[in-house]
Amino acid sequence: LEEFALKPGQDPGNILKQGYLEKRSREHSFFGSEWQKRWCVLNRRTFYYYANEKSKQPKGNFSIEHYSARLAFHLRKDSRKRCCFELICPGKRTYEFTAPSPAEAEDWVDQIQFLLKDLSSLTIPYDEEDDEELYNDVDSSDSVNTTSHNTTLNQDEPNVEGEDNDIYEVLPGEKPKPK
């Protein structure tokens, strides 16, 4: 078992996968892109990467929501090309990684895809008919009293005739209001 020092803001119960990966840096050098070894941690919503497993502060992190994960053999030309995968989100940065083995790369992709599927299932579907019922009375033009939607309760306001105030609690030091 790998020992893992808990990072700030991380609950060990939420860590789904962690381990060393090589991450392609955003800046490309004269010799091409640079691959740096990073300690990577995937929790239920966020992908963190650190300089090493003892680092307290992440070098970076991003919410994986709306990303997709896939194997990406085109990222390298060497013997480790079958160990590559990428995280893609339209309009956002693409993250490219190399795992220690092809099996590890597949496992990272599987874990991320599982998590993304789980995140999308947390969206509560709603019935459009229920949605209409919620809003019909708010914007309807035949509403008798439209100001009632903006009324706030204020104890200093005078009582409106016909209202029953029995639901209000009498606070210590106050006299009950006459009916």
Side-chain angles (χ1 to χ4, degrees):
L1 272 175
E2 293 178 325
E3 282 294 316
F4 173 62
L6 190 62
K7 309 287 188 276
Q10 289 182 10
D11 175 357
N14 287 335
I15 294 173
L16 300 177
K17 186 153 182 67
Q18 61 189 1
Y20 278 106
L21 296 172
E22 287 182 30
K23 184 185 134 316
R24 183 181 265 182
S25 65
R26 197 189 318 222
E27 300 86 30
H28 299 293
S29 74
F30 176 75
F31 301 106
S33 60
E34 298 282 322
W35 291 92
Q36 296 146 341
K37 191 174 181 179
R38 296 287 181 241
W39 178 256
C40 298
V41 178
L42 175 65
N43 77 12
R44 296 192 186 282
R45 295 192 175 274
T46 308
F47 191 105
Y48 296 90
Y49 51 95
Y50 298 84
N52 58 56
E53 66 185 294
K54 293 182 180 16
S55 297
K56 300 253 186 272
Q57 287 296 319
K59 286 237 173 235
N61 66 70
F62 57 96
S63 169
I64 65 158
E65 201 168 0
H66 307 297
Y67 270 82
S68 61
R70 67 179 182 197
L71 293 172
F73 301 154
H74 66 279
L75 295 179
R76 293 179 80 134
K77 305 283 184 242
D78 61 10
S79 61
R80 303 201 45 219
K81 68 181 184 178
R82 300 193 73 75
C83 304
C84 296
F85 67 96
E86 59 189 357
L87 299 173
I88 303 164
C89 183
K92 293 189 177 178
R93 178 182 172 189
T94 296
Y95 291 88
E96 301 167 333
F97 296 96
T98 303
S101 69
E104 265 299 292
E106 284 180 43
D107 192 43
W108 275 97
V109 169
D110 290 347
Q111 288 289 333
I112 293 165
Q113 286 175 338
F114 173 78
L115 182 58
L116 292 169
K117 193 166 149 184
D118 193 40
L119 277 175
S120 67
S121 73
L122 293 175
T123 305
I124 300 169
Y126 68 94
D127 187 350
E128 286 183 22
E129 290 174 17
D130 291 343
D131 195 35
E132 287 174 20
E133 288 174 25
L134 284 173
Y135 295 104
N136 273 350
D137 66 333
V138 173
D139 292 322
S140 62
S141 58
D142 61 349
S143 177
V144 176
N145 185 2
T146 55
T147 58
S148 67
H149 295 294
N150 297 324
T151 302
T152 57
L153 293 176
N154 185 344
Q155 287 182 314
D156 297 334
E157 286 182 6
N159 286 339
V160 177
E161 286 182 286
E163 278 190 21
D164 186 3
N165 287 326
D166 287 344
I167 62 169
Y168 296 105
E169 177 183 351
V170 176
L171 296 174
E174 282 188 14
K175 295 177 195 164
K177 293 181 181 173
K179 290 193 178 196

PDB file of all heavy atoms in Angstrom, residues 115-152:
ATOM      1  N   LEU A 115     -16.712   8.392 -12.757  1.00  0.00           N
ATOM      2  CA  LEU A 115     -17.012   9.556 -11.938  1.00  0.00           C
ATOM      3  C   LEU A 115     -17.869  10.564 -12.703  1.00  0.00           C
ATOM      4  O   LEU A 115     -18.835  11.107 -12.166  1.00  0.00           O
ATOM      5  CB  LEU A 115     -15.708  10.211 -11.484  1.00  0.00           C
ATOM      6  CG  LEU A 115     -15.816  11.408 -10.574  1.00  0.00           C
ATOM      7  CD1 LEU A 115     -16.583  11.069  -9.305  1.00  0.00           C
ATOM      8  CD2 LEU A 115     -14.438  11.915 -10.213  1.00  0.00           C
ATOM      9  N   LEU A 116     -17.552  10.799 -13.965  1.00  0.00           N
ATOM     10  CA  LEU A 116     -18.322  11.739 -14.779  1.00  0.00           C
ATOM     11  C   LEU A 116     -19.751  11.246 -14.976  1.00  0.00           C
ATOM     12  O   LEU A 116     -20.696  12.026 -14.926  1.00  0.00           O
ATOM     13  CB  LEU A 116     -17.645  11.952 -16.136  1.00  0.00           C
ATOM     14  CG  LEU A 116     -16.312  12.702 -16.068  1.00  0.00           C
ATOM     15  CD1 LEU A 116     -15.587  12.622 -17.399  1.00  0.00           C
ATOM     16  CD2 LEU A 116     -16.526  14.150 -15.662  1.00  0.00           C
ATOM     17  N   LYS A 117     -19.903   9.944 -15.158  1.00  0.00           N
ATOM     18  CA  LYS A 117     -21.241   9.356 -15.295  1.00  0.00           C
ATOM     19  C   LYS A 117     -22.020   9.540 -13.997  1.00  0.00           C
ATOM     20  O   LYS A 117     -23.190   9.903 -13.997  1.00  0.00           O
ATOM     21  CB  LYS A 117     -21.089   7.873 -15.637  1.00  0.00           C
ATOM     22  CG  LYS A 117     -22.343   7.197 -16.096  1.00  0.00           C
ATOM     23  CD  LYS A 117     -21.948   5.865 -16.707  1.00  0.00           C
ATOM     24  CE  LYS A 117     -22.996   4.839 -16.528  1.00  0.00           C
ATOM     25  NZ  LYS A 117     -22.581   3.540 -17.025  1.00  0.00           N
ATOM     26  N   ASP A 118     -21.330   9.343 -12.873  1.00  0.00           N
ATOM     27  CA  ASP A 118     -21.943   9.514 -11.556  1.00  0.00           C
ATOM     28  C   ASP A 118     -22.340  10.982 -11.335  1.00  0.00           C
ATOM     29  O   ASP A 118     -23.409  11.271 -10.831  1.00  0.00           O
ATOM     30  CB  ASP A 118     -20.960   9.052 -10.480  1.00  0.00           C
ATOM     31  CG  ASP A 118     -21.614   8.894  -9.126  1.00  0.00           C
ATOM     32  OD1 ASP A 118     -22.746   8.396  -9.063  1.00  0.00           O
ATOM     33  OD2 ASP A 118     -20.981   9.269  -8.121  1.00  0.00           O
ATOM     34  N   LEU A 119     -21.470  11.919 -11.722  1.00  0.00           N
ATOM     35  CA  LEU A 119     -21.772  13.346 -11.573  1.00  0.00           C
ATOM     36  C   LEU A 119     -22.989  13.733 -12.399  1.00  0.00           C
ATOM     37  O   LEU A 119     -23.836  14.491 -11.939  1.00  0.00           O
ATOM     38  CB  LEU A 119     -20.578  14.205 -12.022  1.00  0.00           C
ATOM     39  CG  LEU A 119     -19.459  14.425 -11.026  1.00  0.00           C
ATOM     40  CD1 LEU A 119     -18.320  15.190 -11.666  1.00  0.00           C
ATOM     41  CD2 LEU A 119     -19.948  15.142  -9.786  1.00  0.00           C
ATOM     42  N   SER A 120     -23.084  13.211 -13.623  1.00  0.00           N
ATOM     43  CA  SER A 120     -24.218  13.588 -14.467  1.00  0.00           C
ATOM     44  C   SER A 120     -25.511  12.985 -13.939  1.00  0.00           C
ATOM     45  O   SER A 120     -26.584  13.543 -14.140  1.00  0.00           O
ATOM     46  CB  SER A 120     -23.983  13.168 -15.918  1.00  0.00           C
ATOM     47  OG  SER A 120     -23.979  11.767 -16.027  1.00  0.00           O
ATOM     48  N   SER A 121     -25.440  11.880 -13.210  1.00  0.00           N
ATOM     49  CA  SER A 121     -26.661  11.277 -12.662  1.00  0.00           C
ATOM     50  C   SER A 121     -27.141  12.020 -11.423  1.00  0.00           C
ATOM     51  O   SER A 121     -28.252  11.803 -10.961  1.00  0.00           O
ATOM     52  CB  SER A 121     -26.445   9.798 -12.339  1.00  0.00           C
ATOM     53  OG  SER A 121     -25.632   9.674 -11.197  1.00  0.00           O
ATOM     54  N   LEU A 122     -26.297  12.911 -10.858  1.00  0.00           N
ATOM     55  CA  LEU A 122     -26.720  13.695  -9.700  1.00  0.00           C
ATOM     56  C   LEU A 122     -27.667  14.815 -10.094  1.00  0.00           C
ATOM     57  O   LEU A 122     -28.315  15.411  -9.261  1.00  0.00           O
ATOM     58  CB  LEU A 122     -25.501  14.300  -8.988  1.00  0.00           C
ATOM     59  CG  LEU A 122     -24.572  13.298  -8.321  1.00  0.00           C
ATOM     60  CD1 LEU A 122     -23.354  14.008  -7.755  1.00  0.00           C
ATOM     61  CD2 LEU A 122     -25.292  12.544  -7.221  1.00  0.00           C
ATOM     62  N   THR A 123     -27.758  15.102 -11.397  1.00  0.00           N
ATOM     63  CA  THR A 123     -28.681  16.121 -11.875  1.00  0.00           C
ATOM     64  C   THR A 123     -30.085  15.554 -11.741  1.00  0.00           C
ATOM     65  O   THR A 123     -30.383  14.489 -12.260  1.00  0.00           O
ATOM     66  CB  THR A 123     -28.388  16.458 -13.350  1.00  0.00           C
ATOM     67  OG1 THR A 123     -27.024  16.828 -13.450  1.00  0.00           O
ATOM     68  CG2 THR A 123     -29.284  17.572 -13.841  1.00  0.00           C
ATOM     69  N   ILE A 124     -30.928  16.268 -11.032  1.00  0.00           N
ATOM     70  CA  ILE A 124     -32.279  15.778 -10.790  1.00  0.00           C
ATOM     71  C   ILE A 124     -33.158  16.138 -11.983  1.00  0.00           C
ATOM     72  O   ILE A 124     -33.313  17.315 -12.311  1.00  0.00           O
ATOM     73  CB  ILE A 124     -32.860  16.392  -9.505  1.00  0.00           C
ATOM     74  CG1 ILE A 124     -31.971  16.018  -8.319  1.00  0.00           C
ATOM     75  CG2 ILE A 124     -34.305  15.965  -9.297  1.00  0.00           C
ATOM     76  CD1 ILE A 124     -32.283  16.776  -7.060  1.00  0.00           C
ATOM     77  N   PRO A 125     -33.703  15.126 -12.653  1.00  0.00           N
ATOM     78  CA  PRO A 125     -34.579  15.435 -13.789  1.00  0.00           C
ATOM     79  C   PRO A 125     -35.871  16.068 -13.271  1.00  0.00           C
ATOM     80  O   PRO A 125     -36.312  15.794 -12.168  1.00  0.00           O
ATOM     81  CB  PRO A 125     -34.849  14.070 -14.426  1.00  0.00           C
ATOM     82  CG  PRO A 125     -34.586  13.086 -13.351  1.00  0.00           C
ATOM     83  CD  PRO A 125     -33.594  13.717 -12.403  1.00  0.00           C
ATOM     84  N   TYR A 126     -36.457  16.925 -14.049  1.00  0.00           N
ATOM     85  CA  TYR A 126     -37.719  17.519 -13.626  1.00  0.00           C
ATOM     86  C   TYR A 126     -38.755  17.344 -14.725  1.00  0.00           C
ATOM     87  O   TYR A 126     -38.435  17.247 -15.900  1.00  0.00           O
ATOM     88  CB  TYR A 126     -37.552  18.995 -13.249  1.00  0.00           C
ATOM     89  CG  TYR A 126     -37.240  19.901 -14.411  1.00  0.00           C
ATOM     90  CD1 TYR A 126     -38.262  20.563 -15.089  1.00  0.00           C
ATOM     91  CD2 TYR A 126     -35.931  20.102 -14.817  1.00  0.00           C
ATOM     92  CE1 TYR A 126     -37.970  21.390 -16.154  1.00  0.00           C
ATOM     93  CE2 TYR A 126     -35.643  20.926 -15.884  1.00  0.00           C
ATOM     94  CZ  TYR A 126     -36.671  21.570 -16.550  1.00  0.00           C
ATOM     95  OH  TYR A 126     -36.389  22.386 -17.601  1.00  0.00           O
ATOM     96  N   ASP A 127     -39.999  17.303 -14.319  1.00  0.00           N
ATOM     97  CA  ASP A 127     -41.118  17.148 -15.224  1.00  0.00           C
ATOM     98  C   ASP A 127     -41.543  18.540 -15.668  1.00  0.00           C
ATOM     99  O   ASP A 127     -41.800  19.414 -14.843  1.00  0.00           O
ATOM    100  CB  ASP A 127     -42.262  16.437 -14.480  1.00  0.00           C
ATOM    101  CG  ASP A 127     -43.409  16.083 -15.405  1.00  0.00           C
ATOM    102  OD1 ASP A 127     -43.391  16.550 -16.568  1.00  0.00           O
ATOM    103  OD2 ASP A 127     -44.305  15.345 -14.965  1.00  0.00           O
ATOM    104  N   GLU A 128     -41.626  18.773 -16.975  1.00  0.00           N
ATOM    105  CA  GLU A 128     -41.961  20.112 -17.467  1.00  0.00           C
ATOM    106  C   GLU A 128     -43.331  20.561 -16.992  1.00  0.00           C
ATOM    107  O   GLU A 128     -43.565  21.734 -16.787  1.00  0.00           O
ATOM    108  CB  GLU A 128     -41.877  20.152 -18.993  1.00  0.00           C
ATOM    109  CG  GLU A 128     -40.430  20.139 -19.480  1.00  0.00           C
ATOM    110  CD  GLU A 128     -40.325  20.261 -20.979  1.00  0.00           C
ATOM    111  OE1 GLU A 128     -41.283  20.757 -21.603  1.00  0.00           O
ATOM    112  OE2 GLU A 128     -39.277  19.878 -21.517  1.00  0.00           O
ATOM    113  N   GLU A 129     -44.258  19.621 -16.807  1.00  0.00           N
ATOM    114  CA  GLU A 129     -45.591  19.995 -16.327  1.00  0.00           C
ATOM    115  C   GLU A 129     -45.502  20.586 -14.924  1.00  0.00           C
ATOM    116  O   GLU A 129     -46.142  21.581 -14.622  1.00  0.00           O
ATOM    117  CB  GLU A 129     -46.518  18.781 -16.312  1.00  0.00           C
ATOM    118  CG  GLU A 129     -46.886  18.323 -17.716  1.00  0.00           C
ATOM    119  CD  GLU A 129     -47.689  17.037 -17.700  1.00  0.00           C
ATOM    120  OE1 GLU A 129     -48.230  16.683 -16.640  1.00  0.00           O
ATOM    121  OE2 GLU A 129     -47.756  16.380 -18.742  1.00  0.00           O
ATOM    122  N   ASP A 130     -44.666  19.996 -14.062  1.00  0.00           N
ATOM    123  CA  ASP A 130     -44.493  20.527 -12.712  1.00  0.00           C
ATOM    124  C   ASP A 130     -43.885  21.922 -12.775  1.00  0.00           C
ATOM    125  O   ASP A 130     -44.227  22.803 -12.012  1.00  0.00           O
ATOM    126  CB  ASP A 130     -43.564  19.629 -11.876  1.00  0.00           C
ATOM    127  CG  ASP A 130     -44.206  18.292 -11.559  1.00  0.00           C
ATOM    128  OD1 ASP A 130     -45.442  18.197 -11.698  1.00  0.00           O
ATOM    129  OD2 ASP A 130     -43.479  17.361 -11.177  1.00  0.00           O
ATOM    130  N   ASP A 131     -42.962  22.124 -13.721  1.00  0.00           N
ATOM    131  CA  ASP A 131     -42.298  23.398 -13.877  1.00  0.00           C
ATOM    132  C   ASP A 131     -43.314  24.496 -14.206  1.00  0.00           C
ATOM    133  O   ASP A 131     -43.270  25.576 -13.660  1.00  0.00           O
ATOM    134  CB  ASP A 131     -41.263  23.275 -15.004  1.00  0.00           C
ATOM    135  CG  ASP A 131     -40.268  24.413 -15.009  1.00  0.00           C
ATOM    136  OD1 ASP A 131     -39.931  24.878 -13.909  1.00  0.00           O
ATOM    137  OD2 ASP A 131     -39.846  24.815 -16.099  1.00  0.00           O
ATOM    138  N   GLU A 132     -44.270  24.180 -15.093  1.00  0.00           N
ATOM    139  CA  GLU A 132     -45.290  25.161 -15.457  1.00  0.00           C
ATOM    140  C   GLU A 132     -46.147  25.528 -14.261  1.00  0.00           C
ATOM    141  O   GLU A 132     -46.457  26.687 -14.051  1.00  0.00           O
ATOM    142  CB  GLU A 132     -46.176  24.608 -16.573  1.00  0.00           C
ATOM    143  CG  GLU A 132     -45.470  24.576 -17.917  1.00  0.00           C
ATOM    144  CD  GLU A 132     -46.304  23.891 -18.984  1.00  0.00           C
ATOM    145  OE1 GLU A 132     -47.528  23.798 -18.801  1.00  0.00           O
ATOM    146  OE2 GLU A 132     -45.725  23.462 -19.989  1.00  0.00           O
ATOM    147  N   GLU A 133     -46.520  24.558 -13.466  1.00  0.00           N
ATOM    148  CA  GLU A 133     -47.358  24.825 -12.302  1.00  0.00           C
ATOM    149  C   GLU A 133     -46.667  25.760 -11.322  1.00  0.00           C
ATOM    150  O   GLU A 133     -47.296  26.600 -10.716  1.00  0.00           O
ATOM    151  CB  GLU A 133     -47.719  23.522 -11.578  1.00  0.00           C
ATOM    152  CG  GLU A 133     -48.720  22.681 -12.349  1.00  0.00           C
ATOM    153  CD  GLU A 133     -48.946  21.335 -11.687  1.00  0.00           C
ATOM    154  OE1 GLU A 133     -48.735  21.219 -10.472  1.00  0.00           O
ATOM    155  OE2 GLU A 133     -49.317  20.409 -12.405  1.00  0.00           O
ATOM    156  N   LEU A 134     -45.346  25.626 -11.188  1.00  0.00           N
ATOM    157  CA  LEU A 134     -44.615  26.475 -10.263  1.00  0.00           C
ATOM    158  C   LEU A 134     -44.666  27.938 -10.664  1.00  0.00           C
ATOM    159  O   LEU A 134     -44.675  28.817  -9.827  1.00  0.00           O
ATOM    160  CB  LEU A 134     -43.145  26.057 -10.195  1.00  0.00           C
ATOM    161  CG  LEU A 134     -42.828  24.812  -9.406  1.00  0.00           C
ATOM    162  CD1 LEU A 134     -41.364  24.447  -9.587  1.00  0.00           C
ATOM    163  CD2 LEU A 134     -43.133  25.018  -7.933  1.00  0.00           C
ATOM    164  N   TYR A 135     -44.694  28.222 -11.955  1.00  0.00           N
ATOM    165  CA  TYR A 135     -44.563  29.598 -12.404  1.00  0.00           C
ATOM    166  C   TYR A 135     -45.858  30.223 -12.913  1.00  0.00           C
ATOM    167  O   TYR A 135     -45.916  31.417 -13.110  1.00  0.00           O
ATOM    168  CB  TYR A 135     -43.486  29.686 -13.499  1.00  0.00           C
ATOM    169  CG  TYR A 135     -42.132  29.340 -12.945  1.00  0.00           C
ATOM    170  CD1 TYR A 135     -41.530  28.113 -13.195  1.00  0.00           C
ATOM    171  CD2 TYR A 135     -41.474  30.222 -12.105  1.00  0.00           C
ATOM    172  CE1 TYR A 135     -40.309  27.792 -12.641  1.00  0.00           C
ATOM    173  CE2 TYR A 135     -40.242  29.904 -11.550  1.00  0.00           C
ATOM    174  CZ  TYR A 135     -39.674  28.698 -11.826  1.00  0.00           C
ATOM    175  OH  TYR A 135     -38.454  28.382 -11.275  1.00  0.00           O
ATOM    176  N   ASN A 136     -46.901  29.440 -13.128  1.00  0.00           N
ATOM    177  CA  ASN A 136     -48.138  30.002 -13.662  1.00  0.00           C
ATOM    178  C   ASN A 136     -48.714  31.108 -12.790  1.00  0.00           C
ATOM    179  O   ASN A 136     -49.147  32.124 -13.290  1.00  0.00           O
ATOM    180  CB  ASN A 136     -49.194  28.904 -13.837  1.00  0.00           C
ATOM    181  CG  ASN A 136     -49.063  28.227 -15.186  1.00  0.00           C
ATOM    182  OD1 ASN A 136     -48.319  28.695 -16.036  1.00  0.00           O
ATOM    183  ND2 ASN A 136     -49.776  27.137 -15.375  1.00  0.00           N
ATOM    184  N   ASP A 137     -48.716  30.925 -11.479  1.00  0.00           N
ATOM    185  CA  ASP A 137     -49.349  31.912 -10.614  1.00  0.00           C
ATOM    186  C   ASP A 137     -48.493  33.152 -10.401  1.00  0.00           C
ATOM    187  O   ASP A 137     -48.998  34.198 -10.053  1.00  0.00           O
ATOM    188  CB  ASP A 137     -49.745  31.298  -9.273  1.00  0.00           C
ATOM    189  CG  ASP A 137     -48.549  30.882  -8.462  1.00  0.00           C
ATOM    190  OD1 ASP A 137     -47.496  30.583  -9.061  1.00  0.00           O
ATOM    191  OD2 ASP A 137     -48.642  30.847  -7.241  1.00  0.00           O
ATOM    192  N   VAL A 138     -47.198  33.081 -10.640  1.00  0.00           N
ATOM    193  CA  VAL A 138     -46.325  34.222 -10.370  1.00  0.00           C
ATOM    194  C   VAL A 138     -46.478  35.303 -11.433  1.00  0.00           C
ATOM    195  O   VAL A 138     -46.602  36.471 -11.127  1.00  0.00           O
ATOM    196  CB  VAL A 138     -44.842  33.768 -10.281  1.00  0.00           C
ATOM    197  CG1 VAL A 138     -43.925  34.961 -10.183  1.00  0.00           C
ATOM    198  CG2 VAL A 138     -44.672  32.849  -9.100  1.00  0.00           C
ATOM    199  N   ASP A 139     -46.480  34.915 -12.685  1.00  0.00           N
ATOM    200  CA  ASP A 139     -46.478  35.905 -13.752  1.00  0.00           C
ATOM    201  C   ASP A 139     -47.838  36.097 -14.407  1.00  0.00           C
ATOM    202  O   ASP A 139     -47.947  36.811 -15.388  1.00  0.00           O
ATOM    203  CB  ASP A 139     -45.462  35.513 -14.832  1.00  0.00           C
ATOM    204  CG  ASP A 139     -44.046  35.618 -14.307  1.00  0.00           C
ATOM    205  OD1 ASP A 139     -43.754  36.558 -13.550  1.00  0.00           O
ATOM    206  OD2 ASP A 139     -43.246  34.749 -14.662  1.00  0.00           O
ATOM    207  N   SER A 140     -48.873  35.470 -13.906  1.00  0.00           N
ATOM    208  CA  SER A 140     -50.164  35.583 -14.576  1.00  0.00           C
ATOM    209  C   SER A 140     -50.730  36.985 -14.405  1.00  0.00           C
ATOM    210  O   SER A 140     -50.637  37.599 -13.365  1.00  0.00           O
ATOM    211  CB  SER A 140     -51.144  34.534 -14.034  1.00  0.00           C
ATOM    212  OG  SER A 140     -51.373  34.762 -12.668  1.00  0.00           O
ATOM    213  N   SER A 141     -51.352  37.498 -15.449  1.00  0.00           N
ATOM    214  CA  SER A 141     -51.848  38.867 -15.438  1.00  0.00           C
ATOM    215  C   SER A 141     -53.151  38.997 -14.662  1.00  0.00           C
ATOM    216  O   SER A 141     -53.532  40.089 -14.278  1.00  0.00           O
ATOM    217  CB  SER A 141     -52.041  39.359 -16.874  1.00  0.00           C
ATOM    218  OG  SER A 141     -52.938  38.503 -17.537  1.00  0.00           O
ATOM    219  N   ASP A 142     -53.836  37.869 -14.403  1.00  0.00           N
ATOM    220  CA  ASP A 142     -55.099  37.951 -13.670  1.00  0.00           C
ATOM    221  C   ASP A 142     -54.901  37.813 -12.160  1.00  0.00           C
ATOM    222  O   ASP A 142     -55.854  37.649 -11.431  1.00  0.00           O
ATOM    223  CB  ASP A 142     -56.090  36.881 -14.189  1.00  0.00           C
ATOM    224  CG  ASP A 142     -55.572  35.476 -14.001  1.00  0.00           C
ATOM    225  OD1 ASP A 142     -54.379  35.316 -13.662  1.00  0.00           O
ATOM    226  OD2 ASP A 142     -56.345  34.537 -14.205  1.00  0.00           O
ATOM    227  N   SER A 143     -53.665  37.894 -11.698  1.00  0.00           N
ATOM    228  CA  SER A 143     -53.402  37.809 -10.269  1.00  0.00           C
ATOM    229  C   SER A 143     -53.972  39.043  -9.583  1.00  0.00           C
ATOM    230  O   SER A 143     -53.735  40.162 -10.004  1.00  0.00           O
ATOM    231  CB  SER A 143     -51.893  37.714 -10.037  1.00  0.00           C
ATOM    232  OG  SER A 143     -51.630  37.702  -8.668  1.00  0.00           O
ATOM    233  N   VAL A 144     -54.739  38.836  -8.500  1.00  0.00           N
ATOM    234  CA  VAL A 144     -55.416  39.927  -7.809  1.00  0.00           C
ATOM    235  C   VAL A 144     -54.417  40.791  -7.052  1.00  0.00           C
ATOM    236  O   VAL A 144     -54.450  42.002  -7.118  1.00  0.00           O
ATOM    237  CB  VAL A 144     -56.493  39.361  -6.842  1.00  0.00           C
ATOM    238  CG1 VAL A 144     -57.125  40.490  -6.051  1.00  0.00           C
ATOM    239  CG2 VAL A 144     -57.519  38.581  -7.616  1.00  0.00           C
ATOM    240  N   ASN A 145     -53.486  40.146  -6.323  1.00  0.00           N
ATOM    241  CA  ASN A 145     -52.581  40.916  -5.485  1.00  0.00           C
ATOM    242  C   ASN A 145     -51.138  40.553  -5.819  1.00  0.00           C
ATOM    243  O   ASN A 145     -50.580  39.637  -5.255  1.00  0.00           O
ATOM    244  CB  ASN A 145     -52.879  40.629  -4.006  1.00  0.00           C
ATOM    245  CG  ASN A 145     -52.046  41.495  -3.088  1.00  0.00           C
ATOM    246  OD1 ASN A 145     -51.272  42.336  -3.545  1.00  0.00           O
ATOM    247  ND2 ASN A 145     -52.192  41.282  -1.802  1.00  0.00           N
ATOM    248  N   THR A 146     -50.530  41.290  -6.753  1.00  0.00           N
ATOM    249  CA  THR A 146     -49.159  40.959  -7.165  1.00  0.00           C
ATOM    250  C   THR A 146     -48.129  41.399  -6.135  1.00  0.00           C
ATOM    251  O   THR A 146     -47.029  40.897  -6.123  1.00  0.00           O
ATOM    252  CB  THR A 146     -48.815  41.610  -8.520  1.00  0.00           C
ATOM    253  OG1 THR A 146     -49.047  43.005  -8.407  1.00  0.00           O
ATOM    254  CG2 THR A 146     -49.644  41.011  -9.633  1.00  0.00           C
ATOM    255  N   THR A 147     -48.495  42.330  -5.238  1.00  0.00           N
ATOM    256  CA  THR A 147     -47.519  42.785  -4.246  1.00  0.00           C
ATOM    257  C   THR A 147     -47.282  41.742  -3.177  1.00  0.00           C
ATOM    258  O   THR A 147     -46.301  41.802  -2.474  1.00  0.00           O
ATOM    259  CB  THR A 147     -47.987  44.098  -3.574  1.00  0.00           C
ATOM    260  OG1 THR A 147     -49.250  43.866  -2.968  1.00  0.00           O
ATOM    261  CG2 THR A 147     -48.051  45.236  -4.575  1.00  0.00           C
ATOM    262  N   SER A 148     -48.163  40.756  -3.046  1.00  0.00           N
ATOM    263  CA  SER A 148     -47.998  39.755  -1.998  1.00  0.00           C
ATOM    264  C   SER A 148     -46.723  38.938  -2.192  1.00  0.00           C
ATOM    265  O   SER A 148     -46.215  38.363  -1.264  1.00  0.00           O
ATOM    266  CB  SER A 148     -49.211  38.828  -1.932  1.00  0.00           C
ATOM    267  OG  SER A 148     -49.274  38.056  -3.116  1.00  0.00           O
ATOM    268  N   HIS A 149     -46.207  38.897  -3.421  1.00  0.00           N
ATOM    269  CA  HIS A 149     -44.981  38.133  -3.668  1.00  0.00           C
ATOM    270  C   HIS A 149     -43.766  38.820  -3.049  1.00  0.00           C
ATOM    271  O   HIS A 149     -42.756  38.202  -2.815  1.00  0.00           O
ATOM    272  CB  HIS A 149     -44.746  37.963  -5.176  1.00  0.00           C
ATOM    273  CG  HIS A 149     -45.800  37.136  -5.831  1.00  0.00           C
ATOM    274  ND1 HIS A 149     -45.969  35.809  -5.567  1.00  0.00           N
ATOM    275  CD2 HIS A 149     -46.761  37.472  -6.727  1.00  0.00           C
ATOM    276  CE1 HIS A 149     -46.988  35.347  -6.269  1.00  0.00           C
ATOM    277  NE2 HIS A 149     -47.483  36.345  -6.981  1.00  0.00           N
ATOM    278  N   ASN A 150     -43.858  40.116  -2.794  1.00  0.00           N
ATOM    279  CA  ASN A 150     -42.712  40.857  -2.285  1.00  0.00           C
ATOM    280  C   ASN A 150     -42.892  41.292  -0.837  1.00  0.00           C
ATOM    281  O   ASN A 150     -42.110  42.065  -0.332  1.00  0.00           O
ATOM    282  CB  ASN A 150     -42.475  42.112  -3.149  1.00  0.00           C
ATOM    283  CG  ASN A 150     -42.124  41.720  -4.567  1.00  0.00           C
ATOM    284  OD1 ASN A 150     -41.445  40.731  -4.768  1.00  0.00           O
ATOM    285  ND2 ASN A 150     -42.608  42.481  -5.530  1.00  0.00           N
ATOM    286  N   THR A 151     -43.926  40.829  -0.171  1.00  0.00           N
ATOM    287  CA  THR A 151     -44.201  41.234   1.198  1.00  0.00           C
ATOM    288  C   THR A 151     -43.182  40.612   2.139  1.00  0.00           C
ATOM    289  O   THR A 151     -42.873  39.438   2.038  1.00  0.00           O
ATOM    290  CB  THR A 151     -45.619  40.786   1.615  1.00  0.00           C
ATOM    291  OG1 THR A 151     -46.536  41.366   0.707  1.00  0.00           O
ATOM    292  CG2 THR A 151     -45.950  41.228   3.020  1.00  0.00           C
ATOM    293  N   THR A 152     -42.652  41.401   3.064  1.00  0.00           N
ATOM    294  CA  THR A 152     -41.753  40.870   4.084  1.00  0.00           C
ATOM    295  C   THR A 152     -42.426  41.041   5.436  1.00  0.00           C
ATOM    296  O   THR A 152     -43.199  41.973   5.641  1.00  0.00           O
ATOM    297  CB  THR A 152     -40.410  41.621   4.099  1.00  0.00           C
ATOM    298  OG1 THR A 152     -40.671  42.994   4.304  1.00  0.00           O
ATOM    299  CG2 THR A 152     -39.645  41.414   2.812  1.00  0.00           C
TER     300      THR A 152
END
